[in-house]
């Protein structure tokens, strides 16, 4: 353990895209010392073998069957794995941060409806959802943290101020269109994520019934008509929400709602029709960062409000959010290890 680090950490499932992002963040974090990264497929190989940007990290992948005792364990595993191995995870670590969907929802019934059931429903009431802008007060001391889904995170951040200000009450029509990069499919995304098939597309892949609707409904109390498109970028999730408020709303109302909600947030920036090229939230502008951009525009003729939000799906939508939540849970400065502000200009994110 390094002299300055306060906590030890491990990453289970370290060879995937999100596992690599976790390792990158934790290796550069002033309070964490990464002591283990696990992989079944690349056991004994160096971390740099899977993640060339981490070739200087002196660490080899080890078996997930032999977990070291650590302060914080980050599980970057597919859905269904953590609920089966949660006892081993909690034996190994005081704080478990799960990046899958296994502990995001409140009830067994929700998992029956949206997933394939749940094998450890008694633990659902103990988990804390990791979207610090939403659940910051619940995170300190939490020992089971469920990192929010990327598409849900983008949508929730866009709509939350409208709910808090009473502009949305739950009776309105809300249409959400999310466009996502190929990394959302993971390192083993399959045929649809191969470059020849993915390049140049704007492909609806979840026209209805996307599982992240459950998170939006649970945490905002809203029913949304939700569609997701795969587009030709690597990193990013961009949500466009078409909202039809029941009562007239002004730009002043909107600025008040969004500034009131996010004015003190370290990782949320308002981008709403200013000057320059990037007038509204743009995934390219936040690639590699834990930042979210949120903006809006009024369409008075149609009594419509259009809300935009953009995140890096692997950072604010996954690894960055997980580290942010762990910081809050452990009493670390919440921006620690997450200060990178992005690059401009930059190629396809």
């Amino acid at each position: 353990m390094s002299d300055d680090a306060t906590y030890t950490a491990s990453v289970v499932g370290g060879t995937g895209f999100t596992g690599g992002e976790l390792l990158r963040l934790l290796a550069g974090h002033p309070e964490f010392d990464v002591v283990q990264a696990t992989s079944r497929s690349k056991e004994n190989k160096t971390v740099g073998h899977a993640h060339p940007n981490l070739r200087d990290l002196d660490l080899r992948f080890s078996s997930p069957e032999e977990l070291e005792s650590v302060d914080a364990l980050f599980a970057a595993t597919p859905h269904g794995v953590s609920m089966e191995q949660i006892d081993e995870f909690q034996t190994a670590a005081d704080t478990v941060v799960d990046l899958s969907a296994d502990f995001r929802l409140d009830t067994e019934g929700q998992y029956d409806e949206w997933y394939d059931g749940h094998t450890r429903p008694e633990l659902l009431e103990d988990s804390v959802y990791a979207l610090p802008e939403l659940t910051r007060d619940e995170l300190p001391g939490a020992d089971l943290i469920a990192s929010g889904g990327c598409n849900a995170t983008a949508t929730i951040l866009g709509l939350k101020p409208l709910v808090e200000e009473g502009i949305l009450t739950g009776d309105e029509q809300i249409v959400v269109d999310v466009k996502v990069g190929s990394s959302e499919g993971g390192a083993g995304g399959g045929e649809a994520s191969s470059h020849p098939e993915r390049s140049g597309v704007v492909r609806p892949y979840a026209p209805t019934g996307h599982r992240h609707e459950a998170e939006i409904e649970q945490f905002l109390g809203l029913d949304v008509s939700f569609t997701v498109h795969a587009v030709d970028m690597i990193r990013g999730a961009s949500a466009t929400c078409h909202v039809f408020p029941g009562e007239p709303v002004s730009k002043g109302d909107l600025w008040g709602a969004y500034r009131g909600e996010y004015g003190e947030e370290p990782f949320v920036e308002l981008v709403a029709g200013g000057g320059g090229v990037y007038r509204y939230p743009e995934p390219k502008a936040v690639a590699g960062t834990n930042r979210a951009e949120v903006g809006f525009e009024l369409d008075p003729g149609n009594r419509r409000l259009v809300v935009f939000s953009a995140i890096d799906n692997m950072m604010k939508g996954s690894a960055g959010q997980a580290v942010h939540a762990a910081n809050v849970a452990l009493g670390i400065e919440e921006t620690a290890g997450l200060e990178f502000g992005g690059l401009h200009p930059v190629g396809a994110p």
Side-chain angles (χ1 to χ4, degrees):
M1 187 171 179
S2 64
D3 293 338
D4 297 330
T6 305
Y7 299 98
T8 54
S10 62
V11 174
V12 177
T15 55
F17 292 147
T18 299
E21 285 293 84
L22 281 169
L23 289 167
R24 176 176 71 88
L25 294 174
L26 294 170
H29 197 292
E31 301 292 343
F32 281 112
D33 187 45
V34 184
V35 298
Q36 185 177 27
T38 76
S39 170
R40 296 184 189 278
S41 62
K42 291 182 170 57
E43 185 177 351
N44 294 322
K45 294 187 181 297
T46 64
V47 165
H49 180 84
H51 307 296
N53 58 321
L54 300 178
R55 286 186 176 124
D56 61 341
L57 188 58
D58 185 19
L59 188 67
R60 290 181 178 271
F61 292 112
S62 57
S63 169
E65 306 297 332
E66 300 174 0
L67 296 177
E68 296 189 27
S69 178
V70 292
D71 297 307
L73 181 150
F74 295 81
T77 52
H79 175 68
V81 174
S82 289
M83 68 175 76
E84 295 294 340
Q85 299 184 4
I86 188 61
D87 290 337
E88 292 88 337
F89 292 170
Q90 291 191 313
T91 297
D94 296 327
T95 302
V96 174
V97 185
D98 181 40
L99 281 75
S100 78
D102 282 13
F103 296 99
R104 292 175 187 163
L105 303 179
D106 287 342
T107 67
E108 185 177 9
Q110 288 170 293
Y111 281 95
D112 291 337
E113 178 180 358
W114 291 97
Y115 292 90
D116 301 312
H118 204 288
T119 60
R120 297 298 302 276
E122 73 276 11
L123 296 179
L124 296 176
E125 64 181 18
D126 298 328
S127 67
V128 177
Y129 191 68
L131 203 173
E133 292 82 6
L134 190 76
T135 58
R136 181 179 280 106
D137 292 344
E138 302 170 42
L139 284 166
D143 54 19
L144 177 55
I145 298 169
S147 194
C150 51
N151 301 325
T153 292
T155 304
I156 289 170
L157 289 175
L159 296 176
K160 183 174 184 285
L162 304 179
V163 174
E164 296 297 330
E165 195 64 18
I167 295 171
L168 289 180
T169 63
D171 297 326
E172 301 83 1
Q173 181 182 10
I174 303 169
V175 178
V176 180
D177 182 87
V178 182
K179 295 179 175 63
V180 301
S182 57
S183 59
E184 188 169 302
E191 181 181 357
S193 293
S194 70
H195 181 72
E197 298 294 346
R198 184 73 183 227
S199 181
V201 304
V202 181
R203 178 193 299 141
Y205 80 85
T208 63
H210 193 285
R211 290 169 168 177
H212 288 188
E213 286 184 37
E215 294 173 51
I216 299 165
E217 180 180 340
Q218 174 172 289
F219 291 101
L220 292 184
L222 301 175
D223 290 324
V224 299
S225 301
F226 195 84
T227 296
V228 184
H229 288 77
V231 300
D232 190 6
M233 63 182 177
I234 297 172
R235 291 175 178 262
S238 175
T240 300
C241 306
H242 303 272
V243 179
F244 299 86
E247 301 293 333
V249 58
S250 69
K251 272 204 171 182
D253 295 332
L254 294 174
W255 278 112
Y258 281 87
R259 284 174 173 155
E261 191 67 31
Y262 295 135
E264 301 300 320
E265 286 293 345
F267 294 118
V268 182
E269 298 181 7
L270 299 183
V271 183
V277 175
Y278 297 93
R279 300 180 59 218
Y280 298 101
E282 168 60 55
K284 183 176 177 180
V286 296
T289 82
N290 195 52
R291 291 165 41 224
E293 292 187 345
V294 177
F296 52 82
E297 193 59 80
L298 272 177
D299 178 12
N302 291 302
R303 293 184 293 180
R304 179 178 62 132
L305 166 61
V306 187
V307 175
F308 309 97
S309 51
I311 61 173
D312 181 330
N313 58 295
M314 291 195 295
M315 283 292 295
K316 185 61 180 167
S318 191
Q321 182 148 269
V323 172
H324 185 185
N327 285 346
V328 177
L330 295 170
I332 301 169
E333 167 57 45
E334 66 178 276
T335 60
L338 299 169
E339 295 90 348
F340 175 60
L343 301 172
H344 177 77
V346 66

